[in-house]
Amino acid sequence: MAKKVIMPKLGLTMEEGVINKWMVKEGDRIEKGDTVFEVATDKVNMEVEAPASGVLLKILAGEGETIPITQTVAWIGEEGEEVPEEEAAPGGETEPAEVREEKEVETPPAVSAPAESTPPTQKKEEAAAPAGRVKASPLAKKLAAQYGVDLSTLKGSGPGGRIVRDDVEKAREEKPVEEPAPVSERPVPTEEGVARIPLSRMRRIIAQRMQESFQNKPHFSIRQEIHAGALVDLRGRLLPVIEKQTGKRLTYTDLIVKMVARALDEYPLVNAHYTPDAIQMNTKVNVGVAVALDDGLIVPVVHNANRKGLAEITSEIHDLSERAREGKLIPEEISGGTFTVSNLGMFGVDDFTAVINAPESAILACGAIKKKPYVKDDAVVPASMLTLTLSADHRIVDGSV
C-alpha cells in the first residue's frame, strides 16, 4: 500500500516549510531512511528521509513551493501501484512524520543534517540501485560531496559497515581536496558589469530579523573596558581540569556564558522581554551563542545555563558550534533564547556593538583580550584588558540596571 511523504513539523512554532530541493526523482527506488528532499524553515535547513522503502511514485510539490505542515508532498509505493485519489488534499495526514537529529547508527532517523553542497544527482545515483547501494550516513554523504571523496571506495566503520563521518575525514586526510567556495559567495556578473551575490534564504532571514529588531527595539549601548587578568588566570587554571573532564578546550566564551547566566539570575529584568501589554519575565535562563557560518550567522542556545556547571556548558557549546557549522542543529537547539553572547575576540576585534536578537532584550558583545598599559597604584603596568558592550532594549532595561 502506498505511503505518504508529508511536510514534517520541525519545531513547536513551525506552520509551513519550503521545499529547497528534491534529492530523488519520480520512478527512483529508495530505501527507508534515504533522503528524499530538503526543507527550509524560518530557522534551519533540514533533510527529510523516506518513511518507507519503495518507488517514489509521485511528487506533488515542486522545489521552491511553500507547503503547510502535515500536507502530503509525495507518495512511495511499489512499482506500478496507483496513487490514492486524495493525493492532492492538503493536510491529509494528522500525524507528522517522525523528526529527530541524525545519529550515525544503522537505522537512520526521519530527519537529518542538511546537505547544501551535495549534488542532487549524486544522491539519485546512490538511491537508484539497491544492490550496489552505498550505506552511508547523511553527514558522510554531505562531506564526501564537499571533499570529492568516492564513497564506493571506502570501507565503513559504523554499525553494519555503514560509512560514517570519521571514514570520510580519514579519506580526505589521505588525499587532501580543496573545498569549493560556497555558492552564495560567488558573484554573478551582469551585463552592466556589476557583480551580484544572490541572497540565500538564510541571508534574507538575517536581513529581515536584524532590520525588524533595530527598527522596533530602541537600542542603547553601554561599553566598559575591564581588567581581565583574573579571567585569564582562571582560564589557565581550569583549562587542564575541563579538558580532562570533557576532552574540550575551555574558551573565554564558555566562561563568559557561565558568568552571564549567573548575572541574569541576579538581574532577571535583563533576561525578560517586552510585549505590548506587559514585560514577560522568563523563568528560564537560556543563553544563545552567536556562531559564524560561511553564508551567515546562527545562534544555538544553551538552555538552563544557570543550572549547568562549567564543564557541561563547555561541552554543550563545543557540540552546538560544531553541529551548527555542519548544519546538523535541530530547531529546538536554536529556539527559546533569553539572552545572547556574541564574541569576536578571536578575530582580533577590540570592541563592537551588536544588534539585539529579538525577542530578547539584550546582547553582550565581547572583544579581544589584549595587553595594554594600565594604571595601578599610580604606576603604569601591563595588563590584560577586555572591552564588553551591552546593547539593551530601552523599553524595559535602563542604564543603571
Side-chain angles (χ1 to χ4, degrees):
M1 181 176 178
K3 185 170 182 62
K4 298 175 182 179
V5 179
I6 67 170
M7 175 62 69
K9 186 177 179 65
L10 302 175
L12 295 176
T13 61
M14 179 180 168
E15 298 296 333
E16 60 186 19
V18 177
I19 294 181
N20 264 359
K21 55 187 174 183
W22 284 95
M23 305 302 186
V24 290
K25 65 181 185 296
E26 289 184 8
D28 283 350
R29 173 160 289 279
I30 52 180
E31 299 295 324
K32 181 179 180 180
D34 284 346
T35 301
V36 287
F37 69 94
E38 180 185 270
V39 58
T41 71
D42 62 342
K43 297 180 182 296
V44 290
N45 294 344
M46 310 259 319
E47 286 183 353
V48 178
E49 298 180 357
S53 299
V55 174
L56 189 64
L57 300 174
K58 183 72 173 176
I59 292 177
L60 304 179
E63 295 180 353
E65 288 190 34
T66 300
I67 309 297
I69 58 172
T70 74
Q71 180 167 320
T72 306
V73 297
W75 285 92
I76 296 174
E78 294 305 318
E79 189 171 354
E81 185 176 357
E82 291 187 5
V83 174
E85 293 180 359
E86 65 271 24
E87 63 177 67
E93 183 156 312
T94 56
E95 290 295 328
E98 182 183 7
V99 178
R100 58 186 182 266
E101 67 175 302
E102 180 227 351
K103 289 182 172 59
E104 292 179 340
V105 295
E106 185 167 6
T107 303
V111 175
S112 61
E116 296 179 358
S117 57
T118 305
T121 53
Q122 177 184 333
K123 298 224 174 190
K124 294 175 185 176
E125 292 169 2
E126 290 171 1
R133 183 172 173 269
V134 177
K135 294 178 62 176
S137 71
L139 178 57
K141 295 177 184 178
K142 173 188 174 183
L143 293 177
Q146 289 179 344
Y147 301 158
V149 174
D150 185 356
L151 289 173
S152 65
T153 64
L154 303 185
K155 183 178 181 181
S157 61
R162 195 176 193 222
I163 298 171
V164 295
R165 177 178 58 187
D166 289 344
D167 302 323
V168 179
E169 294 285 3
K170 182 178 179 181
R172 186 205 181 196
E173 291 174 2
E174 295 174 353
K175 183 181 180 181
V177 177
E178 183 178 352
E179 296 185 26
V183 173
S184 60
E185 295 182 3
R186 295 172 183 165
V188 178
T190 65
E191 293 181 1
E192 296 80 11
V194 178
R196 294 168 58 85
I197 299 177
L199 288 175
S200 65
R201 179 174 175 81
M202 175 175 285
R203 179 51 59 187
R204 288 181 188 274
I205 293 173
I206 291 173
Q208 176 186 344
R209 291 186 175 175
M210 292 299 98
Q211 181 174 337
E212 289 176 353
S213 176
F214 209 70
Q215 287 179 337
N216 298 332
K217 291 180 177 291
H219 285 55
F220 81 101
S221 299
I222 292 178
R223 179 177 289 103
Q224 185 172 10
E225 187 177 43
I226 65 170
H227 191 303
L231 181 63
V232 174
D233 292 343
L234 179 63
R235 178 177 180 265
R237 295 198 306 272
L238 293 179
L239 194 62
V241 178
I242 299 299
E243 191 163 11
K244 183 177 180 180
Q245 292 179 359
T246 67
K248 308 294 183 182
R249 285 185 64 80
L250 176 67
T251 69
Y252 288 113
T253 299
D254 304 332
L255 285 165
I256 291 171
V257 167
K258 173 63 178 176
M259 295 172 178
V260 161
R262 292 186 62 179
L264 292 173
D265 259 343
E266 296 184 36
Y267 298 89
L269 198 61
V270 187
N271 193 57
H273 69 259
Y274 178 90
T275 68
D277 56 359
I279 296 174
Q280 180 172 313
M281 304 300 293
N282 296 309
T283 57
K284 296 181 178 181
V285 175
N286 301 332
V287 182
V289 180
V291 176
L293 307 177
D294 289 337
D295 58 348
L297 183 73
I298 196 167
V299 184
V301 177
V302 180
H303 290 265
N304 298 308
N306 57 327
R307 300 179 183 177
K308 294 177 178 177
L310 185 57
E312 188 175 2
I313 288 175
T314 299
S315 292
E316 191 165 338
I317 290 178
H318 279 253
D319 174 61
L320 289 171
S321 299
E322 181 180 351
R323 290 191 293 111
R325 297 185 181 97
E326 295 174 347
K328 292 180 60 180
L329 294 177
I330 59 176
E332 288 75 10
E333 293 172 326
I334 55 174
S335 303
T338 59
F339 186 95
T340 295
V341 170
S342 181
N343 186 1
L344 291 179
M346 65 285 291
F347 299 110
V349 175
D350 291 325
D351 66 83
F352 66 103
T353 303
V355 178
I356 299 170
N357 186 23
E360 300 166 13
S361 62
I363 183 170
L364 184 68
C366 310
I369 297 176
K370 293 185 176 181
K371 286 285 188 179
K372 294 183 179 180
Y374 179 76
V375 178
K376 181 179 180 180
D377 300 329
D378 294 329
V380 178
V381 296
S384 297
M385 305 299 294
L386 165 64
T387 300
L388 300 174
T389 305
L390 181 75
S391 297
D393 183 345
H394 215 331
R395 293 176 297 181
I396 62 174
V397 179
D398 300 322
S400 59
V401 176

